[in-house]
């Protein structure tokens, strides 16, 4: 499974109104764009999307900024709060997916990759994501509605939860180091990526994957610290941008000589991903306008931006499985009376991915309704089914809308 996502998803949801001081709508917009880009990547598989907008680096940087702000409070309470927000949505996902895998015929005791006591212990990662959760490469699904690789598609992206949890646990130490030796702390993950992400040093198994993830996106996480602490703003813009362009150019140069099976997919090229994401994030944060409201035409997207930020964990957890769920829905179209000609079948065959694109968004909406409220419980808030920032109250017998989440 190609690694992709959206870090920062378990960052505190915007429970305050969009206009409340301290809520940066520019950062909220970036998080929403990153989520959309992730869905598009997993749907279409276009490698160039990883270059156009490196969602992973952006989202880890946003999460790092929020973490630095939160660490003005006691570190233990902040870590406990972050973990509390992350786990219940994961438990809901696991409560659905694990039984489906077992019903599909997966026998953990007979799985050559996950058998024995260690395989049983690995199931803990469906409860606390300290490592990679086990799953079968191929398994059945009720009524054969999904292809046999559905578990790999659904569970594979959960590597993000592990990476996010590691960053959260390491943040007090990272922030302490950043405030004392900022540049060394900022650049150390890039140096580590040059060691473990290029084959110079190989760490086997999931431990190696975890260390590589931490290295690749570590500088972006620390860039979030630099943004919050004001360190990035002190660097002259021309210097920050020109330096970032050089780092990004190096990333593309490295990628050109180390193309993976998907070509220019930076997810397969750790050092290129780290360099490109680092430079991209520096530029985004250097030009950060700190909006309290979305300006101009962007204001038309305010409700969707608010909704996606409030339900980022839900969207991330379920989107890949929902992409696969569009396939049996499209298959029903072949049974329609007017679809019985060869021409109609060929037309549907040639546009099936486009139909998947249109169908996945209402399915994501249904997932938000079905599971999103768990994010509110995890944050100790009153459950809401559609938190898009609209408040409804009675004013002279009419409904009134306003900002809020």
């Amino acid at each position: 499974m190609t690694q992709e996502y959206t870090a920062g998803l378990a960052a505190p949801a915007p429970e305050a109104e969009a206009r409340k001081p301290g809520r940066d709508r520019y950062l909220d917009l970036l998080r929403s764009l990153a989520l959309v880009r992730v869905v598009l990547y997993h749907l279409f598989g276009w490698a160039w999307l990883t270059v156009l907008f490196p969602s992973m680096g952006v989202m880890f940087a946003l999460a790092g900024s929020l973490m630095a702000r939160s660490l003005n409070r006691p570190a233990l309470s902040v870590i406990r709060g972050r973990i509390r927000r992350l786990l219940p949505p994961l438990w809901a996902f696991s409560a659905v997916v694990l039984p489906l895998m077992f019903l599909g015929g997966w026998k953990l005791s007979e799985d050559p990759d996950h058998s024995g006591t260690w395989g049983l212990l690995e199931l803990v990662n469906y409860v606390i994501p300290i490592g990679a959760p086990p799953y079968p490469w191929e398994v059945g699904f009720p009524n054969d509605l999904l292809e046999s690789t559905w578990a790999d598609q659904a569970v594979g992206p959960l590597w993000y939860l592990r990476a996010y949890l590691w960053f959260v646990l390491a943040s007090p130490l990272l922030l302490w180091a950043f405030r004392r030796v900022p540049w060394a702390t900022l650049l150390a993950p890039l140096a580590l990526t040059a060691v473990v992400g290029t084959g110079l040093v190989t760490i086997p198994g999931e431990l190696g994957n975890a260390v590589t993830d931490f290295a690749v996106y570590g500088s972006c996480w620390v860039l979030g610290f630099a943004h919050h602490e004001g360190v990035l703003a002190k660097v002259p813009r021309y210097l920050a941008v020109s330096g970032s362009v050089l780092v990004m150019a190096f990333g593309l140069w490295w990628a050109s000589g180390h193309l993976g099976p998907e070509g220019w997919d930076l997810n397969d090229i750790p050092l290129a991903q780290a360099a490109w994401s680092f430079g991209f994030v520096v530029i985004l944060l250097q030009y950060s306008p700190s909006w309290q409201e979305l300006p101009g035409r962007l204001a038309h997207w305010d409700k969707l931006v608010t909704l996606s930020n409030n339900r980022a964990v839900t969207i991330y957890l379920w989107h890949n499985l929902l992409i696969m769920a569009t396939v049996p829905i499209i298959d029903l179209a072949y049974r329609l009376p007017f679809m019985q000609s060869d021409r109609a079948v060929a037309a549907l065959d040639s546009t099936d991915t486009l139909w998947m694109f249109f169908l996945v968004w209402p399915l994501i909406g249904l997932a938000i309704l079905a599971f999103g409220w768990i994010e509110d419980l995890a944050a100790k808030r009153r459950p809401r089914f559609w938190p898009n920032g609209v408040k409804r109250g009675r004013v002279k017998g009419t409904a009134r809308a306003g900002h809020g989440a």
Side-chain angles (χ1 to χ4, degrees), residues 13-239:
E15 60 256 1
E17 289 87 352
R19 293 176 180 171
K20 183 177 179 178
R23 192 70 213 173
D24 192 328
R25 298 299 279 171
Y26 174 72
L27 301 185
D28 288 346
L29 177 64
L30 290 181
R31 186 177 293 106
S32 297
L33 289 175
L35 279 169
V36 171
R37 210 282 283 152
V38 167
V39 175
L40 293 179
Y41 173 85
H42 284 149
L43 176 60
F44 294 105
W46 293 330
W48 55 266
L49 284 173
T50 64
V51 177
L52 178 66
F53 194 87
S55 290
M56 296 299 302
V58 171
M59 295 304 296
F60 274 117
L62 299 180
S65 180
L66 287 171
M67 191 68 185
R69 183 176 68 180
S70 297
L71 284 173
N72 292 326
R73 307 193 306 272
L76 186 60
S77 66
V78 173
I79 292 174
R80 186 170 56 246
R82 287 291 191 276
I83 295 175
R84 188 190 67 239
R85 291 171 184 271
L86 184 67
L87 294 186
L90 171 63
W91 295 341
F93 179 82
S94 301
V96 173
V97 171
L98 263 179
L100 286 175
M101 288 192 291
F102 290 129
L103 287 173
W106 183 40
K107 297 180 180 179
L108 190 62
S109 60
E110 299 177 5
D111 191 322
D113 297 321
H114 306 288
S115 61
T117 303
W118 183 249
L120 189 62
L121 290 175
E122 285 183 313
L123 289 177
V124 173
N125 292 303
Y126 283 100
V127 180
I128 304 176
I130 55 177
Y135 57 87
W137 289 106
E138 291 187 298
V139 68
F141 194 89
N143 299 318
D144 294 326
L145 291 177
L146 300 184
E147 62 179 79
S148 61
T149 61
W150 71 267
D152 178 39
Q153 301 295 320
V155 179
L158 296 190
W159 72 271
Y160 151 71
L161 302 185
R162 173 189 64 198
Y164 179 85
L165 183 59
W166 279 38
F167 278 124
V168 167
L169 294 174
S171 282
L173 179 59
L174 285 175
L175 186 58
W176 176 87
F178 176 77
R179 287 171 174 170
R180 284 156 181 78
V181 282
W183 291 107
T185 307
L186 182 62
L187 298 177
L190 287 176
L192 181 60
T193 305
V195 175
V196 300
T198 61
L200 186 62
V201 173
T202 301
I203 303 175
E206 285 300 328
L207 177 60
N209 293 334
V211 172
T212 300
D213 294 337
F214 193 91
V216 169
Y217 300 110
S219 287
C220 290
W221 186 275
V222 179
L223 273 174
F225 293 173
H227 174 259
H228 175 264
E229 299 283 296
V231 174
L232 196 57
K234 295 178 182 178
V235 180
R237 180 169 291 178
Y238 77 90
L239 185 60

Side-chain angles (χ1 to χ4, degrees), residues 3-4 8 17 20 71 90 119 121 160 176 192 196 223 231 247 250 270 289 297 305 350 354 356 366 377 400 402:
Q3 290 186 347
E4 182 62 35
E17 289 87 352
K20 183 177 179 178
L71 284 173
L90 171 63
L121 290 175
Y160 151 71
W176 176 87
L192 181 60
V196 300
L223 273 174
V231 174
V247 173
F250 167 78
R297 294 183 178 180
V305 169
S350 63
L354 189 60
M356 292 171 68
L366 290 175
L377 292 182
R400 179 181 61 190

